[in-house]
Amino acid sequence: MLAIIDYGMANLRSVQKAFERMGYAAQIISTPEQVQSADQLIVPGVGAFQDAMKVLNATDLTGAIKDFAKTGKPLLGICLGLQLFTDLSEEDGLHQGLGLIVGKVVRFTVDRPPYNLKVPHMGWNALHPTPNTPLFKNLPADSHVYFVHSYHLVPADPAVIAATADYGPPFVAAITQNNILATQFHPEKSQQVGAQILKNFAEFKP
């Protein structure tokens, strides 16, 4: 079962429909027992880190996601989902995440000189994937994906970086660590490129 976890922080139907358009049935789930039964798990998300972790902790989904990650089965985070996989976020104070990826989530500082860019970062950016990343196989050259975020991951180990994008300086656009994959961008909003990425996840075998 390919499962999308519902913790009240995402437009789940858009993710579900994106998989369905590629021919993959995706079920929306919300309990630890359903997480345990999943073969592949997606943690999407839009909103505040602290609010999301409160929901995950209150519903016992924190432990369920951590246990799922230990099984070696494919796990995908999208946008806020990527950030929740980390140790710590600086959004509205310091808040602990799921601790699956060593690193912290920090706010963009590009709204200051010399860049003077808007935060949140919103729109299409070129994706710069690292070689031989399963999530990005068969992507056309100069692929663009859609972002909406004010915070980004700074990992402790650069080896987990699966792709970068540029907003002022480069930032982490995707990560991979064994069975754990995550994108800061929204593949479900990234048209054909995003569809290929979701297809790659559905067919991913760690």
Side-chain angles (χ1 to χ4, degrees):
M1 176 180 66
L2 194 160
I4 304 165
I5 195 162
D6 180 5
Y7 59 104
M9 302 291 291
N11 181 1
L12 304 171
R13 280 293 293 151
S14 63
V15 179
Q16 186 182 40
K17 284 181 179 179
F19 276 108
E20 289 174 351
R21 284 194 295 270
M22 299 299 295
Y24 300 98
Q27 182 176 341
I28 294 173
I29 64 171
S30 58
T31 69
E33 293 76 20
Q34 289 172 314
V35 170
Q36 186 178 18
S37 299
D39 299 308
Q40 298 160 294
L41 184 67
I42 299 99
V43 182
V46 177
F49 188 101
Q50 181 182 16
D51 293 342
M53 284 305 305
K54 281 182 179 178
V55 174
L56 294 178
N57 289 332
T59 55
D60 296 326
L61 288 169
T62 293
I65 296 169
K66 287 182 176 181
D67 288 343
F68 184 91
K70 293 175 185 175
T71 67
K73 293 186 284 189
L75 174 61
L76 176 67
I78 296 174
C79 196
L80 179 60
L82 175 150
Q83 297 179 10
L84 294 172
F85 286 175
T86 64
D87 292 319
L88 191 71
S89 174
E90 295 182 352
E91 183 179 1
D92 299 322
L94 293 176
H95 305 286
Q96 287 189 330
L98 295 169
L100 303 177
I101 302 292
V102 180
K104 64 180 179 179
V105 175
V106 302
R107 187 183 184 275
F108 276 116
T109 58
V110 293
D111 51 347
R112 310 167 190 170
Y115 301 109
N116 298 315
L117 298 170
K118 290 182 179 180
V119 176
H121 167 222
M122 184 181 301
W124 295 85
N125 283 76
L127 188 67
H128 309 301
T130 57
N132 303 316
T133 300
L135 201 59
F136 303 128
K137 68 180 181 180
N138 299 323
L139 289 191
D142 194 34
S143 292
H144 282 62
V145 290
Y146 187 78
F147 292 87
V148 183
H149 62 127
S150 298
Y151 291 79
H152 63 98
L153 170 64
V154 178
D157 182 2
V160 305
I161 299 173
T164 60
D166 298 327
Y167 194 59
F171 67 92
V172 175
I175 56 173
T176 180
Q177 181 177 276
N178 301 321
N179 62 310
I180 301 170
L181 311 171
T183 65
Q184 183 59 68
F185 57 89
H186 288 273
E188 77 280 9
K189 297 180 180 179
S190 298
Q191 299 179 356
Q192 288 304 114
V193 168
Q196 181 64 52
I197 290 168
L198 293 180
K199 181 178 187 291
N200 290 340
F201 174 73
E203 298 176 352
F204 174 57
K205 304 205 181 303

